[in-house]
């Protein structure tokens, strides 16, 4: 009789233990909400990354049977003089194009953040080049810089800054200068919007308290705006550097890697190996090395710019 009386209590305890191990409705809802993001990351990043790693270990022609060669592609990469030349040029291009973008974007963000009438029109005007595709903007600049029908040479001749015609894309220095100007024009609006968003997120009470204490405009800019913009600057810097390292369209359209292969970027070299020479395995190895380089560079930037600010 005593055993029969204890059975309901044991059943209740087992039921509570079973319910404790089952996921709650809230946990199931959380899993359901993250499932699309996990699926997207798995399909479009993890699986392609694993396939690229596998491909980099093979001699993988576009048509034909791949053969396993182990670290053969990486050995070839270490002795590839054009790859290291392209990497050096890409670093040089990144160092030259990033400061103008940041300085000009910061000045524009300060200007369009002023409470002036019609400032929205200027914000739109500065942002319009961002919505143009990089390929279309590169073709536009090829026409603008044309030595026969382009307006730049005509304007320079009219103001007596140029005699005759200048083939902008015919020499390394002028071609690099022209591409940097075109990229700054194309991308400065995006960085401006990022910095403007960060500026508008700073509480106005901090500025008002500083003004009560007698802080000047430059003082507020130095001691309030710049420190509190540090996370936004880090984000914009990482995006700008990654975009510069992945530069391809403007060089492919405007210079075709010339003159004398001096403007071939790393991505351009990956494209040539993969889709011109059909060495897909070697192209995959180049891509993985570039990805590792970008990961290390981004971590360094975030570590240098990440610092807690408290007021």
């Amino acid at each position: 009789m005593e055993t029969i009386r204890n059975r309901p209590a044991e059943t209740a305890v087992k039921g509570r233990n079973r319910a404790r191990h089952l996921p709650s409705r809230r946990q199931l809802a959380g899993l359901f909400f993250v499932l699309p993001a996990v699926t997207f990351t798995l399909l479009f990043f993890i699986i392609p990354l694993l396939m690229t790693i596998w491909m980099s270990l093979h001699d993988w022609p576009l048509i034909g049977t791949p053969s396993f060669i182990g670290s053969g592609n990486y050995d070839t990469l270490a002795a590839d003089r054009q790859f290291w030349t392209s990497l050096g040029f890409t670093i040089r291009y990144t160092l030259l194009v990033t400061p103008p973008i940041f300085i000009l974007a910061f000045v524009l963000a300060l200007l369009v953040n002023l409470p002036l009438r019609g400032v929205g029109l200027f914000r739109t005007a500065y942002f319009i080049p961002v919505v143009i595709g990089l390929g279309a903007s590169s073709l536009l600049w090829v026409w603008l810089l044309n030595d026969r029908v382009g307006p730049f040479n005509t304007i320079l001749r009219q103001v007596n800054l140029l005699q005759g015609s200048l083939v902008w894309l015919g020499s390394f220095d002028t071609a690099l200068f022209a591409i940097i100007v075109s990229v700054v024009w194309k991308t400065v609006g995006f960085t401006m919007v990022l910095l403007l968003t960060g500026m508008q997120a700073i509480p106005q009470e901090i500025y008002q308290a500083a003004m009560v204490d007698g802080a000047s405009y430059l003082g507020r800019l130095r001691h309030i705006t710049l420190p509190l913009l540090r996370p936004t600057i880090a984000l914009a810097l990482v995006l700008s550097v990654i975009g510069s390292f992945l530069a391809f369209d403007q060089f492919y359209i405007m210079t075709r890697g010339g003159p004398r292969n001096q403007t071939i970027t790393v991505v351009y070299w990956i494209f040539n190996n993969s889709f011109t020479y059909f060495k897909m395995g070697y192209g995959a190895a180049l891509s993985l090395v570039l990805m590792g380089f970008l990961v290390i560079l981004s971590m360094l930037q975030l570590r240098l710019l990440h610092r807690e600010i408290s007021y």
Side-chain angles (χ1 to χ4, degrees):
M1 289 297 290
E2 185 179 353
T3 305
I4 294 175
R5 281 198 299 270
N6 290 336
R7 280 181 181 173
E10 293 176 356
T11 305
V13 171
K14 290 180 180 178
R16 283 197 298 270
N17 291 335
R18 192 181 298 115
R20 189 179 303 164
H21 289 89
L22 290 175
S24 65
R25 180 177 296 180
R26 189 171 181 177
Q27 290 174 323
L28 287 175
L31 290 174
F32 180 76
F33 281 119
V34 301
L35 186 61
V38 173
T39 305
F40 187 87
T41 305
L42 190 66
L43 287 178
F44 295 103
F45 180 70
I46 301 298
I47 293 177
L49 178 62
L50 295 176
M51 290 178 65
T52 305
I53 295 173
W54 179 249
M55 188 181 290
S56 71
L57 302 176
H58 289 74
D59 180 9
W60 198 300
L62 186 63
I63 301 175
T65 305
S67 58
F68 184 80
I69 58 173
S71 63
N73 284 324
Y74 295 96
D75 297 336
T76 304
L77 186 151
D80 188 348
R81 184 177 300 177
Q82 180 59 53
F83 169 74
W84 297 109
T85 303
S86 300
L87 181 61
F89 171 71
T90 306
I91 293 173
R92 180 179 178 182
Y93 165 73
T94 302
L95 293 175
L96 289 175
V97 78
T98 303
I101 291 176
F102 258 83
I103 294 172
L104 188 57
F106 187 73
V107 173
L108 291 177
L110 287 176
L111 291 176
V112 299
N113 195 34
L114 296 174
L116 300 177
R117 191 174 181 180
V119 72
L121 180 64
F122 291 96
R123 292 176 186 172
T124 305
Y126 298 144
F127 190 75
I128 281 179
V130 179
V131 302
I132 302 173
L134 191 54
S137 73
S138 299
L139 289 173
L140 172 66
W141 279 88
V142 168
W143 172 74
L144 290 172
L145 299 169
N146 189 282
D147 59 310
R148 295 182 180 178
V149 297
F152 274 15
N153 278 345
T154 304
I155 295 173
L156 292 176
R157 279 195 297 268
Q158 289 178 350
V159 296
N160 294 323
L161 292 177
L162 179 67
Q163 301 295 328
S165 296
L166 175 62
V167 183
W168 288 88
L169 305 178
S171 67
F172 173 75
D173 292 332
T174 54
L176 182 58
F177 174 76
I179 289 176
I180 288 175
V181 171
S182 70
V183 171
V184 170
W185 172 80
K186 169 73 177 66
T187 60
V188 72
F190 178 72
T191 307
M192 178 199 73
V193 169
L194 286 178
L195 297 176
L196 178 64
T197 305
M199 290 178 185
Q200 293 182 343
I202 299 174
Q204 290 300 312
E205 292 80 3
I206 299 176
Y207 289 109
Q208 293 167 1
M211 292 171 69
V212 170
D213 292 339
S216 63
Y217 177 79
L218 291 178
R220 298 195 299 274
L221 185 66
R222 179 183 175 187
H223 297 290
I224 297 177
T225 304
L226 286 176
L228 294 182
L229 265 184
R230 192 185 294 271
T232 308
I233 292 174
L235 172 65
L237 186 62
V238 168
L239 292 177
S240 179
V241 170
I242 289 177
S244 299
F245 263 90
L246 299 180
F248 170 72
D249 305 54
Q250 59 270 42
F251 292 99
Y252 182 76
I253 293 173
M254 296 180 71
T255 65
R256 292 277 179 175
R260 291 175 296 178
N261 295 335
Q262 290 178 302
T263 58
I264 292 181
T265 61
V266 176
V267 175
Y268 201 148
W269 187 235
I270 293 173
F271 171 83
N272 280 344
N273 279 280
S274 300
F275 303 108
T276 302
Y277 310 140
F278 302 129
K279 297 191 292 186
M280 307 295 288
Y282 186 56
L286 291 170
S287 302
L288 289 173
V289 170
L290 177 61
M291 187 189 74
F293 191 79
L294 286 175
V295 168
I296 295 172
L297 195 61
S298 300
M299 290 174 64
L300 286 174
Q301 292 178 77
L302 292 174
R303 186 176 180 82
L304 289 174
L305 291 173
H306 178 72
R307 187 195 301 173
E308 294 293 336
I309 304 295
S310 60
Y311 278 83

